[in-house]
């Protein structure tokens, strides 16, 4: 759970915190983690009750057409948010090689587009590796995050004290909220984790959540506040870009290079994991087409097929609930023949990588990508999905506050997430008096706390 919350989002937290202030950032971090823990437990309790350990399959059990509609909407939402993660990763890689200064000298290697193309090409074979080969990324992500915090602490020692705000109210709080939702919205991944838990039970998993989210609270709060205190309101959208030895002489150049290369290695390992949910529906559909083709022509693809299936079996075996059924006619046969080709899934994977590459050409603002993606995740994964499951699948709850709390979650979660689509900057000017902002509680020098 801790490693699942580490990624591109944490790199933007200091930038978002610069628009929220010290105390609001801590409060929002706690609030988002607490709400996420509650919504995750709603999913866990429902999954144990219905023995469904996939969010899509769980939603498909909603009554009537609602189940089918939410299944498709969830798949679309997962696709969009995971694709946004891929774009963010490309931005992080480009920043690592070019900001604050290019790591290599040369006409081409100093351009971010060069590294985006190169990293995209390298990602193609990595995306076809077994997931077990990428298990090292868990330890790597944690190690890189801790190392970055050490470098940020070094930057606290500087000749000119940084101005910061302890308590302020501004639009930046909404941006920080969206950044937090991006970082910790792991609802689509948590049920498979619960399924693999030894001697699983909701109460046992609650202890895991409390322990894991307590760790994330410490990491998020420390990373956000240290980054803000070290670089002030001028902190970059990707905090790695603020680690400039020219501005901070105490910062070893070699350590910065290690941090930047470590971040690239981390992204290379995490990228395929974010790709997997994008291609999983197509893989499930492909498996079903192989079963269909066995029915229409038993001589085809024997190695991929189960035995003893009938036409009813073919339409009942679905990779995920709600997978489209095939027509037992020429049109259905043509669809099955196309999807069962060995090159379809690899081609689809390459197309996604190419699209992410093109989008990262046009967008270089990591913070904006994180905020928009976080707002979308907040609506779907944190507000709507737990609300529907709680209302329709846990109506037997004896807690009289449960239903009102769900409606509060839906209304407030949706409204705050929608604001994230409009507030895509950190708006540090709102709480910085130097720019006409208002900081009612202690905008003072970090070297002189008596100004509080």
């Amino acid at each position: 759970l801790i490693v699942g919350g580490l990624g591109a989002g944490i790199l933007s937290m200091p930038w978002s915190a610069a628009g929220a202030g010290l105390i609001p950032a801590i409060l929002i971090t706690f609030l988002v983690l607490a709400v996420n823990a509650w919504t995750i437990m709603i999913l866990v309790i429902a999954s144990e009750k219905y023995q469904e350990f996939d969010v899509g399959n769980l939603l498909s059990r909603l009554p009537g057409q609602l189940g089918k509609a939410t299944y498709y909407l969830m798949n679309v939402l997962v696709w969009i948010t995971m694709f946004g993660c891929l774009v963010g990763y490309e931005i992080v890689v480009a920043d690592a090689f070019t900001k604050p200064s290019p790591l290599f000298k040369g006409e081409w290697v100093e351009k971010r587009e060069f590294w985006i193309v190169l990293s995209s090409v390298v990602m193609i074979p990595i995306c076809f590796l077994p997931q077990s080969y990428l298990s090292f990324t868990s330890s790597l992500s944690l190690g890189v995050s801790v190392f970055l915090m050490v470098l940020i602490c070094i930057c606290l020692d500087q000749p000119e004290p940084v101005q910061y705000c302890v308590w302020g109210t501004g639009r930046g709080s909404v941006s920080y909220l969206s950044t937090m939702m991006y970082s910790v919205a792991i609802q689509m991944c948590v049920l498979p984790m619960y399924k693999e838990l030894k001697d699983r039970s909701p109460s046992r998993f609650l202890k895991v959540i409390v322990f894991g989210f307590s760790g994330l609270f410490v990491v998020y709060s420390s990373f956000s506040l240290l980054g803000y205190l070290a670089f002030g309101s001028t902190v970059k959208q990707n905090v790695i870009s603020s680690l400039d030895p020219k501005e901070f002489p105490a910062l070893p150049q070699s350590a910065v290079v290690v941090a930047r290369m470590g971040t690239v290695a981390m992204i290379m390992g995490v990228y395929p994991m974010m790709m997997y949910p994008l291609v999983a529906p197509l893989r499930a559909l492909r498996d079903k087409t192989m079963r269909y083709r066995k029915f229409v022509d038993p001589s085809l693809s024997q190695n991929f097929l189960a035995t003893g299936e009938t036409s009813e079996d073919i339409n009942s075996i679905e990779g995920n609930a709600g997978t489209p059924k095939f027509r037992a006619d020429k049109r259905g046969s043509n669809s099955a023949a196309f999807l069962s080709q060995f090159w379809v899934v690899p081609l689809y994977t390459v197309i996604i990588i190419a699209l992410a590459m093109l989008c990262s050409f046009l967008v270089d603002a990591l913070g904006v990508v994180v905020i928009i993606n976080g707002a979308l995740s907040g609506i779907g994964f944190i507000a709507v999905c737990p609300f529907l499951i709680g209302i329709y699948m846990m109506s037997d709850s004896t807690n009289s506050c449960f239903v009102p709390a769900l409606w509060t979650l839906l209304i407030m979660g949706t409204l705050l997430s929608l604001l994230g689509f409009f507030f895509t900057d950190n708006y540090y000017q709102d709480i910085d008096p130097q720019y006409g902002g208002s900081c009612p509680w202690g905008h003072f020098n970090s070297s002189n706390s008596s100004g509080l």
Side-chain angles (χ1 to χ4, degrees):
L1 283 173
I2 293 177
V3 175
L6 302 178
I10 195 173
L11 299 177
S12 284
M13 284 185 184
W15 174 76
S16 298
L22 297 179
I23 293 180
I26 295 176
L27 294 178
I28 292 172
T29 300
F30 178 82
L31 176 64
V32 172
L33 287 170
V35 171
N36 264 271
W38 178 51
T39 58
I40 286 174
M41 289 309 302
I42 291 175
L43 301 184
V44 167
I45 293 172
S47 71
E48 183 66 30
K49 178 179 179 180
Y50 291 92
Q51 291 298 294
E52 293 283 4
F53 303 99
D54 175 80
V55 175
N57 291 345
L58 196 59
L59 287 170
S60 70
R61 286 181 171 268
L62 294 175
Q65 292 297 313
L66 182 61
K68 187 174 183 179
T70 52
Y71 169 80
Y72 284 113
L73 288 175
M74 183 58 60
N75 273 345
V76 171
L77 182 61
V78 168
W79 200 99
I80 294 174
T81 53
M82 293 299 101
F83 182 79
C85 288
L86 299 186
V87 175
Y89 291 156
E90 295 279 12
I91 295 174
V92 171
V93 171
D95 287 350
F97 283 104
T98 60
K99 297 179 181 179
S101 60
L103 283 181
F104 303 97
K105 298 297 182 181
E107 180 180 357
W108 287 101
V109 295
E110 293 184 10
K111 297 181 178 180
R112 63 185 302 273
E113 290 80 6
F114 172 83
W115 295 107
I116 291 173
V117 172
L118 181 60
S119 63
S120 298
V121 173
V122 173
M123 294 294 187
I124 292 175
I126 295 179
C127 285
F128 296 105
L129 291 175
Q131 293 287 307
S132 59
Y133 286 20
L134 304 173
S135 58
F136 72 93
T137 56
S138 297
S139 300
L140 180 61
S141 299
L142 188 57
V144 170
S145 299
V146 172
F147 188 62
L148 287 174
M149 289 176 62
V150 171
L151 297 185
I152 291 174
C153 287
I154 294 176
C155 295
L156 290 171
D157 182 18
Q158 51 187 298
E160 297 183 5
V162 171
Q163 299 285 331
Y164 60 87
C165 183
V166 176
W167 178 274
T169 54
R171 294 168 293 176
S173 296
V174 177
S175 301
Y176 187 80
L177 177 69
S178 297
T179 301
M180 278 297 306
M181 289 191 292
Y182 169 89
S183 301
V184 79
I186 57 175
Q187 279 78 355
M188 73 291 289
C189 308
V190 76
L191 293 187
M193 296 181 190
Y194 173 68
K195 183 180 180 180
E196 299 299 322
L197 181 66
K198 183 179 179 181
D199 300 326
R200 70 170 184 263
S201 68
S203 60
R204 186 178 178 86
F205 194 71
L206 177 60
K207 296 178 182 178
V208 176
I209 290 290
V210 171
F211 178 80
F213 276 21
S214 296
L216 282 178
F217 175 77
V218 173
V219 173
Y220 287 165
S221 299
S222 301
F223 205 89
S224 300
L225 301 190
L226 288 174
Y228 180 30
L229 292 175
F231 307 114
S233 59
T234 60
V235 61
K236 303 295 191 296
Q237 295 191 24
N238 181 351
V239 72
I240 296 178
S241 300
S242 295
L243 297 173
D244 189 354
K246 295 179 181 178
E247 294 186 17
F248 304 95
L251 199 60
Q253 176 69 40
S254 58
V256 174
V257 173
V258 170
R260 290 163 74 171
M261 291 299 94
T263 302
V264 172
M266 178 183 69
I267 295 300
M268 291 291 181
V270 175
Y271 193 102
M273 297 181 183
M274 297 298 106
M275 175 66 72
Y276 186 81
L278 296 178
V279 299
L282 185 61
R283 284 176 174 166
L285 193 58
R286 178 197 59 187
D287 293 342
K288 188 178 178 182
T289 64
M290 303 306 293
R291 293 172 171 81
Y292 175 87
R293 294 194 73 190
K294 180 188 176 183
F295 172 69
V296 297
D297 187 350
S299 66
L300 296 174
S301 307
Q302 294 293 336
N303 293 333
F304 293 88
L305 306 173
T307 59
E309 294 172 342
T310 65
S311 59
E312 289 79 9
D313 295 327
I314 292 168
N315 273 335
S316 65
I317 299 175
E318 301 179 350
N320 288 303
T323 302
K325 299 178 185 292
F326 284 99
R327 296 162 53 96
D329 55 17
K330 183 177 180 180
R331 179 181 172 186
S333 180
N334 291 338
S335 299
F338 172 75
L339 290 173
S340 60
Q341 297 297 318
F342 76 93
W343 48 265
V344 171
V345 172
L347 178 62
Y348 181 62
T349 302
V350 173
I351 290 174
I352 293 175
I353 294 175
L355 289 175
M357 178 186 72
L358 293 175
C359 288
S360 57
F361 282 167
L362 303 175
V363 181
D364 64 352
L366 178 63
V368 175
V369 173
V370 167
I371 289 173
I372 294 177
N373 219 7
L376 190 59
S377 298
I379 293 176
F381 301 135
I382 300 175
V384 176
C385 178
F387 169 80
L388 292 174
I389 291 176
I391 287 291
Y392 287 100
M393 306 179 72
M394 297 174 61
S395 57
D396 56 347
S397 175
T398 57
N399 191 335
S400 60
C401 298
F402 183 65
V403 173
L406 285 175
W407 279 103
T408 303
L409 171 70
L410 177 67
I411 296 172
M412 295 302 298
T414 302
L415 288 177
L416 290 173
S417 296
L418 287 175
L419 288 176
F421 291 107
F422 298 97
F423 299 152
T424 57
D425 199 351
N426 67 346
Y427 304 100
Y428 67 89
Q429 301 93 336
D430 289 0
I431 60 171
D432 193 331
Q434 298 179 89
Y435 299 93
S438 174
C439 180
W441 185 3
H443 194 284
F444 57 90
N445 289 333
S446 58
S447 62
N448 181 18
S449 60
S450 61
L452 181 60

